[in-house]
């Protein structure tokens, strides 16, 4: 049957000499793979840039739940994050977040609230002209509430260690090794209590920002054992060093 939905592009790979496979997170159907035929043919008049990470499309496709790859019939760009791809730092963040989501968003079932969070976050990020150096951290922390392992907030000042296994702040180091030291835990607590609009108020050196990012990725790995190695992580850390 032919259906229509909005989809956020996560990743694309070359499939044949004239086609690509696109990974997208859709509002009505969750995570889907799409075969785009004839895309690499110059006569098609289309460009691979339209399927870069975080582009948002209106998609019309032949939907078969049992099929691992859906066939895209038509598409139109619903939102083009143009400022993101005119800025090298922003584009690196976009590729990084697309890779992370491509690894973790595996559910092929609808989650409109999750879709709306990602959609609105992309638009906010694209509109930022300054103060976005912490966006990737704030986004990944916000994403946890939709994935089922949202961390608890720091209530007692004595709780100076963030226990990644239990997603809580504790007063003494846990017996396991998945916890953050007091300095990183204090920064995480600030992020857990802020919004996109206030994320720039958390002042970080490049080195500290990278340590916080490593901790967040580790936190994801604890709760999502299937998380693959993020190839763009080293580039991200170098850009913001």
């Amino acid at each position: 049957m032919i259906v229509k939905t909005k989809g956020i592009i996560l990743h694309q790979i070359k499939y044949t000499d004239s086609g690509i496979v696109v990974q997208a997170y859709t509002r009505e159907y969750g995570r889907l793979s799409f075969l785009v035929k004839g895309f690499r043919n110059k006569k098609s008049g289309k460009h691979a840039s339209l399927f870069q990470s975080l582009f948002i499309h209106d998609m019309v496709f032949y939907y078969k739940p049992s099929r691992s790859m859906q066939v895209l019939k038509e598409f139109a760009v619903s939102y083009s994050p143009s400022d993101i791809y005119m800025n090298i730092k922003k584009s690196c963040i976009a590729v990084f977040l697309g890779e992370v989501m491509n690894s973790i968003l595996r559910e092929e079932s609808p989650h409109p609230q999750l879709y709306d969070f990602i959609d609105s976050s992309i638009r906010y990020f694209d509109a930022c002209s300054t103060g976005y150096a912490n966006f990737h951290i704030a986004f990944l922390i916000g994403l946890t509430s939709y994935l089922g392992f949202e961390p608890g907030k720091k209530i007692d000042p004595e709780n100076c260690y963030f226990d990644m296994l239990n997603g809580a702040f504790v007063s003494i180091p846990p017996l396991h090794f998945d916890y953050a030291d007091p300095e990183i835990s204090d920064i995480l607590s600030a992020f857990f209590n802020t919004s996109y609009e206030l994320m720039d108020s958390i002042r970080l050196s490049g080195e500290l920002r990278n340590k916080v990012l490593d901790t967040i990725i580790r936190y994801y790995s604890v709760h999502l054992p299937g998380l693959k190695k993020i190839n763009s992580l080293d580039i991200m850390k170098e850009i913001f060093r």
Side-chain angles (χ1 to χ4, degrees):
M1 101 180 135
I2 297 178
V3 299
K4 182 177 181 179
T5 187
K6 286 191 178 296
I8 297 168
I9 305 303
L10 305 179
H11 186 61
Q12 63 158 289
I13 59 171
K14 180 180 176 181
Y15 182 66
T16 63
D17 289 340
S18 63
I20 60 172
V21 172
V22 172
Q23 308 295 333
Y25 192 75
T26 70
R27 196 173 196 280
E28 281 79 19
Y29 301 93
R31 162 72 178 267
L32 291 176
S33 298
F34 294 94
L35 173 61
V36 188
K37 296 180 178 179
F39 188 83
R40 296 173 61 85
N41 188 326
K42 294 181 180 179
K43 294 181 180 179
S44 68
K46 302 171 185 175
H47 304 281
S49 62
L50 298 180
F51 283 91
Q52 293 184 94
S53 299
L54 307 191
F55 270 67
I56 303 172
H57 286 191
D58 290 316
M59 298 174 150
V60 178
F61 59 99
Y62 302 94
Y63 181 58
K64 287 188 177 180
S66 60
R67 187 160 54 191
S68 62
M69 198 182 324
Q70 310 299 325
V71 178
L72 190 63
K73 181 177 182 288
E74 300 172 14
F75 77 91
V77 176
S78 174
Y79 185 81
S80 169
S82 55
D83 192 67
I84 289 176
Y85 282 98
M86 292 177 63
N87 181 313
I88 184 62
K89 289 186 176 181
K90 279 188 167 187
S91 62
C92 285
I93 291 175
V95 170
F96 168 73
L97 293 179
E99 187 179 358
V100 172
M101 289 190 288
N102 189 49
S103 178
I104 64 176
L105 299 181
R106 295 294 179 185
E107 290 296 325
E108 294 184 359
S109 56
H111 192 331
Q113 294 81 9
L114 171 56
Y115 177 91
D116 291 344
F117 167 75
I118 300 171
D119 183 301
S120 62
S121 296
I122 292 169
R123 295 170 192 265
Y124 179 87
F125 180 42
D126 189 44
C128 285
S129 57
T130 59
Y132 55 79
N134 292 332
F135 176 80
H136 52 300
I137 294 173
F139 175 84
L140 291 176
I141 288 172
L143 192 62
T144 60
S145 64
Y146 299 92
L147 300 177
F149 53 95
E150 181 181 13
K153 295 182 179 180
K154 183 177 180 180
I155 305 299
D156 188 339
E158 297 297 318
N159 294 341
C160 57
Y161 296 92
F162 179 60
D163 179 345
M164 288 184 257
L165 188 61
N166 295 296
F169 289 91
V170 295
S171 59
I172 58 175
L175 296 178
H176 56 78
F177 296 104
D178 293 315
Y179 66 91
D181 65 36
E183 180 182 32
I184 300 300
S185 296
D186 190 51
I187 296 170
L188 288 173
S189 176
F191 273 106
F192 297 165
N193 286 280
T194 196
S195 62
Y196 286 152
E197 289 76 13
L198 298 175
M199 64 184 175
D200 191 43
S201 65
I202 304 174
R203 301 293 184 178
L204 299 174
S205 66
E207 181 181 2
L208 263 180
R209 183 177 292 108
N210 287 339
K211 286 182 179 179
V212 172
L213 181 57
D214 279 337
T215 304
I216 293 297
I217 294 296
R218 187 175 169 190
Y219 181 55
Y220 267 69
S221 299
V222 168
H223 294 273
L224 300 171
L227 178 65
K228 298 178 181 178
K229 179 184 177 183
I230 307 301
N231 295 318
S232 57
L233 178 59
D234 290 339
I235 298 174
M236 271 288 299
K237 292 166 70 174
E238 187 61 33
I239 286 288
F240 286 96
R241 190 178 300 280

